[in-house]
């Protein structure tokens, strides 16, 4: 449980200080760990391992403090895609990624993977493919109510959003968007499970859109800037969306927050984009991000949404930081998981691992 991780972090406290630093929770791999993803109740942690040279991405799930990580692997399609189960490894060049957790009362997850046909489909954790098609399916997002899975599919063209009814997974998915000139990606649910924000990609750039009610989808555009506005995430109260943008400078991504029906505000410049979008603290008061700062090994920062000038470093003790995620653990404490190359003072820094620490005392 996450409370055990705190004990590990305390034991690894920086000598001469009382402050704990982040502790590794994954074994060493010959590939880079990425995309840590806490379950909504903080009981489990998913992550990916990217083997660039072999063109392989592996997916793992671990329960901190309770044994080794469990690999999640796509399996060959059986006669019944929902009940075929796991039956062995796929082809040599395979990818399993983009895990999306269900709400805690279901205790499930869905993910995207390449199968024997070398396209991408959605897979349920204890079964085979969901709504398999000849076109690529990916980017699943499970609604907080547990009733619906939204995903991007190229089955009817350039990429639209579709919705699967969790109570009727054998039924065809319902098409949610049908923009004639855009591809819809990076869908994310509002906390009440009613609305979906996403990115519409076209020849002029990427901008944010919102569907206020997925049951009656009528997309509306939230941003109208040049270049790229991407990877939205809702605040815990559902009133704002955080995202990345390079509209000010093409060679730099910045962190922004946009109140629904309000005006966007700049929170931080020169950030390392998180694969799953900006990470909010559970109380919605802060966003946690990695600053693109090579001279200081890409440190982790926390920015108060209401007071960006009070941004401060999070003392992880790690270097070469990348993807991260924040969640409240089963013990009520808030935890940070971050992919990093190692800790300060390491004689050797090679492939990234996942490190975890308690996130406390933010301004």
């Amino acid at each position: 449980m996450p409370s055990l991780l705190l004990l590990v972090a305390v034991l690894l406290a920086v000598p001469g200080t009382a402050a704990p630093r982040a502790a590794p929770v994954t074994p060493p791999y010959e590939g880079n760990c990425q995309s840590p993803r806490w379950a909504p109740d903080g009981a489990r942690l998913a992550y990916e391992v990217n083997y660039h040279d072999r063109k392989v991405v592996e997916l793992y799930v671990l329960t901190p403090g309770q044994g080794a990580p469990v690999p999640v692997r796509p399996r060959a399609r059986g006669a019944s895609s929902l009940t075929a189960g796991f039956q062995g490894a796929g082809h040599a060049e395979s990818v399993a990624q983009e895990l999306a957790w269900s709400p805690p009362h279901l205790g499930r997850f869905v993910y995207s993977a390449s199968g024997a046909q070398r396209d991408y489909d959605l897979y349920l954790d204890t079964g085979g493919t969901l709504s398999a098609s000849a076109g690529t399916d990916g980017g699943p997002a499970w609604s907080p109510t547990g009733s619906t899975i939204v995903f991007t599919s190229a089955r009817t063209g350039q990429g639209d959003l579709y919705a699967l009814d969790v109570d009727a997974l054998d039924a065809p998915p319902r098409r949610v968007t049908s923009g004639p000139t855009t591809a819809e990606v990076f869908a994310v649910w509002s906390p009440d499970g009613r609305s979906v924000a996403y990115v519409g990609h076209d020849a002029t750039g990427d901008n944010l859109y919102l569907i206020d009610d997925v049951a009656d989808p009528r997309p509306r555009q939230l941003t109208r800037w040049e270049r790229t506005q991407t990877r939205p995430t809702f605040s815990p109260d559902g009133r704002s969306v955080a995202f990345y943008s390079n509209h000010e400078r093409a060679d730099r991504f910045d962190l922004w927050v946009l109140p629904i029906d309000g005006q966007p505000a700049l929170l931080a410049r020169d950030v390392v984009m998180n694969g799953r979008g900006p990470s909010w603290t559970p109380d919605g008061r802060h966003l946690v991000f990695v600053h693109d700062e090579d001279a200081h090994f890409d440190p982790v920062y926390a920015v108060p949404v209401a007071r960006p000038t009070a941004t401060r470093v999070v003392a992880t003790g790690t270097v070469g930081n990348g993807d991260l995620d924040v969640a409240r653990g089963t013990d009520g404490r808030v935890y940070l998981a971050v992919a990093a190359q190692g800790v300060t003072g390491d004689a050797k820094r090679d492939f990234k691992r996942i490190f975890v620490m308690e996130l406390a005392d933010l301004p």
Side-chain angles (χ1 to χ4, degrees):
M1 306 298 285
S3 58
L4 296 180
L5 293 175
L6 178 60
L7 175 61
V8 174
V10 169
L11 292 175
L12 293 179
V14 179
T17 74
R21 65 183 184 184
V25 296
T26 57
Y29 299 95
E30 294 297 315
N32 284 311
C33 291
Q34 62 188 28
S35 299
R37 187 77 165 180
W38 288 110
D41 60 1
R44 291 187 289 173
L45 179 66
Y47 62 94
E48 301 165 8
V49 182
N50 192 332
Y51 300 90
H52 293 278
D53 293 342
R54 294 194 285 127
K55 299 180 181 179
V56 170
V57 178
E58 296 177 345
L59 182 62
Y60 291 86
V61 171
L62 72 89
T63 301
Q66 296 187 20
V70 177
V72 179
R73 296 191 176 99
R75 300 300 187 256
R77 299 172 186 166
S80 171
S81 65
L82 293 178
T83 59
F86 294 165
Q87 298 178 355
H91 56 81
E93 296 181 0
S94 63
V95 173
Q97 61 183 1
E98 299 178 329
L99 183 144
W101 294 102
S102 75
H105 71 274
L106 294 178
R108 309 293 298 275
F109 61 81
V110 64
Y111 63 101
S112 173
S114 59
Q117 286 76 23
R118 300 197 180 214
D119 60 355
Y120 284 82
D121 291 308
L122 300 187
Y123 287 77
L124 196 63
D125 54 350
T126 57
T129 52
L130 297 179
S131 189
S133 75
T136 293
D137 294 339
W142 205 315
S143 70
T145 63
S147 63
T148 309
I149 297 170
V150 165
F151 64 100
T152 298
S153 178
R155 65 186 62 201
T156 52
Q158 59 193 356
D160 294 300
L161 296 184
Y162 285 77
L164 273 171
D165 183 347
V166 172
D167 290 330
L169 288 174
D170 54 345
R174 173 172 57 93
R175 192 171 181 178
V176 176
T177 63
S178 55
T181 61
T182 59
E184 288 77 50
V185 294
F186 302 122
V188 59
W189 287 92
S190 61
D192 64 5
R194 181 181 180 188
S195 304
V196 167
Y198 64 91
V199 174
H201 169 77
D202 63 21
T204 64
D206 296 359
N207 274 287
L208 304 188
Y209 291 76
L210 178 70
I211 298 173
D212 292 287
D213 186 355
V214 174
D216 182 23
R218 300 180 185 183
R220 58 188 178 99
Q221 192 166 347
L222 296 181
T223 62
R224 297 180 181 274
W225 291 337
E226 295 180 346
R227 304 191 181 103
T228 300
Q229 288 56 245
T230 190
R231 291 170 174 80
T233 57
F234 274 97
S235 60
D237 64 7
R239 296 178 182 176
S240 301
V241 172
F243 64 98
Y244 304 114
S245 174
N246 70 344
H247 79 278
E248 287 192 348
R249 263 180 46 182
D251 62 347
R252 184 192 76 210
F253 275 95
D254 304 325
L255 177 62
W256 292 76
V257 65
L258 172 63
I260 301 301
D261 297 320
Q263 295 299 313
L266 176 65
L267 295 186
R269 288 189 170 94
D270 282 308
V271 302
V272 176
M273 282 203 301
N274 203 31
R276 302 302 290 266
S279 190
W280 296 81
T281 55
D283 61 8
R285 294 174 55 195
H286 297 80
L287 283 157
V288 182
F289 68 96
V290 174
H291 188 216
D292 190 357
E293 193 177 1
D294 289 344
H296 294 90
F297 307 108
D298 297 335
V300 177
Y301 280 80
V303 53
V305 176
R307 292 187 301 125
T309 55
T311 299
R312 58 174 283 187
V313 175
V314 177
T316 63
T318 54
V319 296
N321 298 295
D323 292 340
L324 56 79
D325 194 26
V326 176
R328 191 178 302 281
T330 56
D331 58 1
R333 303 174 190 266
V334 177
Y335 290 90
L336 166 70
V338 61
Q341 286 185 302
V343 298
T344 303
D346 277 348
K348 179 182 179 182
R349 298 169 187 156
D350 200 351
F351 297 105
K352 289 185 177 180
R353 299 171 67 182
I354 304 299
F355 291 73
V356 169
M357 68 175 289
E358 183 186 6
L359 192 62
D361 301 325
L362 294 179

